[in-house]
Amino acid sequence: MTRVGERYRALVAAGELRPDADQERAVAALDRLATALAEVPKKGSILWRLAGRKVQPPGGIYMWGGVGRGKSMLMDLAFDTIDYAPKRRVHFNEFMLEMHDRLRAARAREEGDPIPPVARAVAAEAKLLCFDEMIINNSADAMILSRLFIQLLDAGVTVITTSNRPPRDLYKGGLNRELFLPFIALIEQKLEVLPLNGPTDYRLERLGGMPTWYVPNGPAASAALSEAFFRLTDYPVEDRAKVPTEELAIPGGRTLHVPKSLKGVAVFSFKRLCGEARGASDYLAIARHFHTVILVGIPKLGPENRNEAARFVTLIDALYEHKVKLLAAADAEPQALYPTGDGAFEFERTASRLMEMQSEDYLAKGHGVE
Ligand SMILES: Nc1ncnc2c1ncn2[C@@H]1O[C@H](COP(=O)(O)OP(=O)(O)OP(=O)(O)O)[C@@H](O)[C@H]1O
Ligand SMILES: [Mg+2]
């Protein structure tokens, strides 16, 4: 059995990762989890028939800390390494959207409380569930998640999750938070809670002070942005010709083609995002799903581009609101991008946001709405 620790140490030895004490502690915990999971009798086996039904798998691990500390990297390493089926890795927001859909369908069947059947179905699909970026910012999610989680853990599902906050700060200051407290207690009791909060934001370090706004569009900007993309995604040089694409689901049933999508980083052209009839729901889906967006080919806009400019404003608002990191190639600096035309005055706020989005402070923020 390959261990998470072996793979981690190999990456450190190869110079791809720097030694990090918090990460080593997390790796040790992930290996303990892997060992415990390896001891869970396989359903239907003799051991399972003898005692397995009574063996409760471990609850799992909750890794939290500031941005760029390596939480997602370690979760991915564990997810790939741990031999336990069926398993599933999903972005937390996507999982919640899916739960709302499934609960709606269950309610429509009018068979009483919709949560138990949905929990049973989810538990049957994945015995190991990995969530990236757990964040709770509305009471509907808080209530559903609280009940769903209790039932998933009861059903023997093991959870690995990452978050920018410790469990006690989840849904902080939220409405009816007292109803959510049992969920926090449950996480603290059933999951091993691990801080990954060392001094280094490795993502920022990987950008190494690279500019995030390139003028003008052209080969130099393209080369710099593609370098940034590969640094941010640790993509092996030999695979660079075949970066995956993605069809991003937009609420309401449409999809959006993402020409390059890897590890939470997406590349789009201005033409595709703002030159076609798209709106807030597309931009919100992007902002929720990706922590970093690379946008190429932003032209200088004039009065004849009022639709493009209006869409661009909506896009930037969504990205800014969700603290998505933006890297871009444009034919002008933000202040000179849309000097005249309908809404040029309002565009000043967008330009100011674009300036702020280039700052170290902004780049060091966690993805998601507070
Ligand atoms: N020890 C390390 N040495 C060098 N690079 C690292 C190390 N740990 C992580 N990285 C790299 O830093 C980048 C950020 O890591 P990762 O995406 O896992 O951060 P995160 O903690 O999930 O951040 P966020 O909260 O923003 O999601 C990745 O490219 C990752 O490979
Ligand atoms: Mg992450």
Side-chain angles (χ1 to χ4, degrees):
M1 184 178 73
T2 328
R3 310 278 303 235
V4 185
E6 278 171 37
R7 290 190 58 186
Y8 178 78
R9 281 186 289 277
L11 290 168
V12 172
E16 285 182 40
L17 297 178
R18 294 224 319 250
D20 180 305
D22 278 12
Q23 289 187 357
E24 302 216 357
R25 268 190 292 278
V27 163
L30 289 164
D31 265 338
R32 283 196 300 277
L33 182 74
T35 307
L37 289 175
E39 284 164 4
V40 176
K42 286 218 163 40
K43 199 172 174 180
S45 67
I46 296 177
L47 256 182
W48 179 78
R49 265 179 258 142
L50 286 176
R53 287 167 219 253
K54 281 185 239 116
V55 176
Q56 187 69 5
I61 288 180
Y62 183 109
M63 294 185 272
W64 70 271
V67 298
R69 264 41 176 203
K71 300 178 297 293
S72 303
M73 182 272 296
L74 289 182
M75 191 176 84
D76 287 341
L77 207 61
F79 181 77
D80 287 346
T81 311
I82 295 176
D83 179 20
Y84 192 65
K87 58 183 175 179
R88 177 173 184 207
R89 182 210 194 280
V90 60
H91 190 274
F92 183 73
N93 283 332
E94 207 171 300
F95 180 76
M96 286 314 293
L97 289 174
E98 180 188 316
M99 290 308 110
H100 284 294
D101 278 349
R102 289 170 88 153
L103 288 169
R104 208 172 298 125
R107 255 180 240 116
R109 287 196 293 275
E110 295 185 1
E111 291 162 355
D113 185 355
I115 295 209
V118 171
R120 273 196 300 278
V122 174
E125 287 161 15
K127 290 281 161 224
L128 173 62
L129 251 180
C130 294
F131 294 119
D132 202 18
E133 299 193 5
M134 183 185 278
I135 183 167
I136 295 144
N137 42 37
N138 63 70
S139 61
D141 282 1
M143 292 314 113
I144 287 173
L145 194 68
S146 190
R147 295 193 54 219
L148 196 66
F149 239 66
I150 293 171
Q151 300 188 21
L152 288 177
L153 290 172
D154 264 353
V157 174
T158 300
V159 171
I160 304 179
T161 184
T162 79
S163 178
N164 289 127
R165 296 167 174 249
R168 64 176 178 281
D169 288 348
L170 282 173
Y171 195 46
K172 203 175 182 177
L175 208 63
N176 298 324
R177 187 164 185 272
E178 63 286 357
L179 300 175
F180 188 69
L181 296 178
F183 171 73
I184 295 177
L186 178 85
I187 291 196
E188 287 179 335
Q189 184 206 339
K190 295 264 172 113
L191 271 60
E192 189 170 351
V193 177
L194 293 166
L196 265 162
N197 225 358
T200 316
D201 174 347
Y202 293 107
R203 188 175 301 123
L204 204 55
E205 192 183 79
R206 281 188 179 225
L207 281 177
M210 278 174 91
T212 55
W213 189 271
Y214 291 86
V215 179
N217 285 296
S222 304
L225 289 174
S226 113
E227 175 61 29
F229 178 78
F230 292 119
R231 278 202 212 171
L232 288 169
T233 56
D234 314 311
Y235 208 54
V237 178
E238 59 276 17
D239 292 341
R240 289 190 174 185
K242 44 176 187 336
V243 178
T245 61
E246 181 176 350
E247 301 305 319
L248 179 67
I250 311 292
R254 286 175 305 123
T255 60
L256 172 67
H257 178 72
V258 190
K260 285 195 176 92
S261 163
L262 197 63
K263 295 195 184 170
V265 184
V267 180
F268 291 103
S269 66
F270 178 87
K271 220 168 160 181
R272 181 180 298 274
L273 281 195
C274 304
E276 297 167 4
R278 306 229 159 246
S281 55
D282 302 71
Y283 303 142
L284 278 174
I286 293 171
R288 289 199 180 110
H289 193 71
F290 297 105
H291 60 69
T292 303
V293 165
I294 299 181
L295 186 61
V296 299
I298 307 172
K300 193 162 171 175
L301 300 164
E304 68 288 3
N305 306 116
R306 50 192 281 266
N307 292 328
E308 284 88 339
R311 289 187 203 112
F312 185 67
V313 167
T314 313
L315 169 68
I316 298 306
D317 283 345
L319 299 183
Y320 179 86
E321 200 69 33
H322 289 78
K323 304 190 185 68
V324 176
K325 313 302 170 281
L326 176 72
L327 283 79
D331 282 334
E333 294 296 341
Q335 309 86 317
L337 208 55
Y338 186 52
T340 52
D342 245 12
F345 179 72
E346 287 74 19
F347 195 86
E348 277 179 28
R349 185 182 48 125
T350 301
S352 140
R353 289 190 160 184
L354 288 170
M355 295 308 291
E356 185 189 338
M357 288 163 91
Q358 298 176 41
S359 69
E360 282 236 351
D361 274 359
Y362 181 88
L363 293 170
K365 283 184 177 169
H367 177 211
V369 184
E370 275 302 302

